[in-house]
Amino acid sequence: MTQKEFINHVLINEIGDVVEHHKWLSFILICSGIEFLGGCIDQEINNLHASNRSRKRFESAIRKLFPPQYEPFLDKSFDLYSQLRCGMNHVTIPGFKIALSEASSGHKNLSEWKDRIIFIAEDLFIDFKHACLKVIDMIDRGQIKETFEIRF
């Protein structure tokens, strides 16, 4: 499976299936996927397993691949990396500055609720999917190289 096939099959299709049925779990997978996309566009170290690159790759993916509304949350006063990515990937709950919800709640993605920022599973996935498609386009245009193939 090539890198593009992995992005299409796993990050877009499989995580998309999880979003439909398991909203909470989708946040964990999307957070890992964001860091993966950051690794794909990392021009300094072309190794997805490189040490001490998690924050840099996660934040780079948010800056370069996501809508601009996400970028203010990268600021150290909010620290999206620690609040969302680390919380979800290490203990399966976000930090105290984040609330997780779904579209049926009636809340809007990235809006405020009780001093927290709300992330809506379906909306976050749509933005994540667009980020995935940007990486595929970058590969197609020769802006970044496919750096691996997975035997699956």
Side-chain angles (χ1 to χ4, degrees):
M1 181 182 312
T2 67
Q3 193 165 338
K4 283 175 28 179
E5 290 169 339
F6 179 82
I7 292 169
N8 269 312
H9 181 72
V10 176
L11 299 186
I12 294 174
N13 295 334
E14 290 189 8
I15 293 177
D17 288 344
V18 173
V19 172
E20 287 184 35
H21 304 288
H22 306 284
K23 306 290 190 260
W24 194 271
L25 295 176
S26 73
F27 287 104
I28 299 166
L29 298 172
I30 291 170
C31 288
S32 292
I34 292 169
E35 186 174 333
F36 173 87
L37 295 176
C40 290
I41 63 173
D42 188 343
Q43 298 298 304
E44 294 175 37
I45 299 178
N46 198 356
N47 175 358
L48 288 171
H49 297 286
S51 298
N52 301 315
R53 303 294 289 177
S54 294
R55 177 183 290 275
K56 182 175 182 80
R57 288 175 171 177
F58 180 88
E59 291 179 351
S60 177
I62 295 292
R63 278 190 194 91
K64 295 176 181 176
L65 304 171
F66 276 70
Q69 297 89 325
Y70 287 82
E71 193 165 349
F73 301 109
L74 295 175
D75 182 276
K76 291 294 180 196
S77 65
F78 187 84
D79 195 8
L80 184 62
Y81 172 78
S82 293
Q83 289 292 311
L84 184 63
R85 184 267 182 206
C86 291
M88 295 309 295
N89 285 348
H90 294 293
V91 294
T92 68
I93 58 172
F96 295 115
K97 296 179 182 181
I98 291 178
L100 303 179
S101 194
E102 58 188 79
S104 66
S105 72
H107 291 289
K108 185 178 176 193
N109 194 45
L110 303 179
S111 63
E112 286 189 46
W113 177 76
K114 295 186 179 183
D115 297 329
R116 294 177 181 207
I117 300 303
I118 300 173
F119 286 83
I120 303 298
E122 297 92 336
D123 295 333
L124 179 60
F125 177 72
I126 289 167
D127 293 335
F128 174 70
K129 180 179 177 180
H130 288 133
C132 289
L133 294 172
K134 285 181 183 179
V135 170
I136 289 171
D137 184 59
M138 292 170 82
I139 292 169
D140 288 342
R141 292 173 179 260
Q143 295 172 315
I144 58 174
K145 294 179 182 177
E146 285 193 280
T147 57
F148 69 86
E149 185 173 315
I150 297 173
R151 306 268 189 257
F152 185 72

